[in-house]
Amino acid sequence: MALRASTWKLQKSLSALLASSRLHTHATSFGFKEVHEEEKSKMVGNVFSSVASSYDLMNDFMSAGLHRLWKDRLVAKLHPFPGMKHLDVAGGTGDIAFRVLESINSVSHSALRCGVTDEVEGGSRIYVCDINPKMLSVGKKRAAERGIDGSPVLQWVEGDAEALSFPKGSMDGYTIAFGIRNVTHIEKALSEAYRVLKKGGRFLCLELSHVELPIFKELYDYYSFSIIPAMGEVVAGDRDSYQYLVESIRRFPKQEVFAKMIADAGFQKVEYENLVGGVVAIHSGLKI
């Protein structure tokens, strides 16, 4: 009963905050705070500079390791192939890029065993793009630990999701995992994703989302607001960054709304898959 009462009060507070907001999605919000647009990118940058070294460890703790399965599912939907040009945005630590590379290598090895040499010709390129240099440094270190830091396939690029440096129609695939809710303008990031993809290119987004099942939602809200920030303080020495994390999830558009935003950016065959009851969702679309 105490849990139900505290959760009801939390939901009431959240509703009041959301109702009072005059923002479009969370374009000028930092968690539950209203900020100037030029301040948001700096504040988000500070968050990820602070948590970079413990980012993947905290993902393991927060999700009980499930984030690994969610990322596997994302890459499985991508269907990587030898010779593809792929862009992973907000992927500084390399978690998605390493999976894409592994999948491409697996297909290449299978083709070679079957004597199909044409399938492995043409240089694959995986561009890891992140606005935060500290996150990229973590990814490069992890690549070195895997012995693939010298791979010509992996390219590390410091860049902004809202203003990508890549040419129009240059990518076969685009992924962004747990990153799009942190941009200042979601619409700009989606527009840039559409611009850099080739016709037939696939957009995939893995993001923490919204739980609707009432009982599960109560437990999830309690875990999010009471446990995750405390965990961040113990593991990463940073409670405030993980308080922002859980608040930013609540400000992110619901699954149907985000799907419409993807379609409005020009993508077709837009769909989403809820995982763990909507704790996370994978949205996808095609540029046709």
Side-chain angles (χ1 to χ4, degrees), residues 14 34 98 131 249 286:
L14 290 177
E34 293 188 21
F98 298 150
I131 200 170
I249 297 167
L286 287 174

Side-chain angles (χ1 to χ4, degrees), residues 200-215:
R202 183 178 296 273
F203 166 87
L204 284 161
C205 174
L206 172 65
E207 189 54 86
L208 293 158
S209 200
H210 296 269
V211 173
E212 297 299 335
L213 189 64
I215 296 177

Side-chain angles (χ1 to χ4, degrees), residues 15-31:
S15 297
L17 281 166
L18 292 172
S20 65
S21 174
R22 297 182 299 277
L23 303 172
H24 178 58
T25 68
H26 69 307
T28 52
S29 68
F30 180 78

Side-chain angles (χ1 to χ4, degrees), residues 93-103 105 109 126 128 138-156:
T93 63
D95 246 16
I96 301 299
F98 298 150
R99 284 170 167 79
V100 174
L101 178 59
E102 183 179 350
S103 181
N105 287 340
H109 294 155
I126 302 169
V128 184
V138 171
K140 292 175 183 178
K141 181 180 178 181
R142 294 182 66 202
E145 291 169 351
R146 292 165 176 253
I148 55 174
D149 52 318
S151 171
V153 177
L154 284 174
Q155 303 288 322
W156 306 86

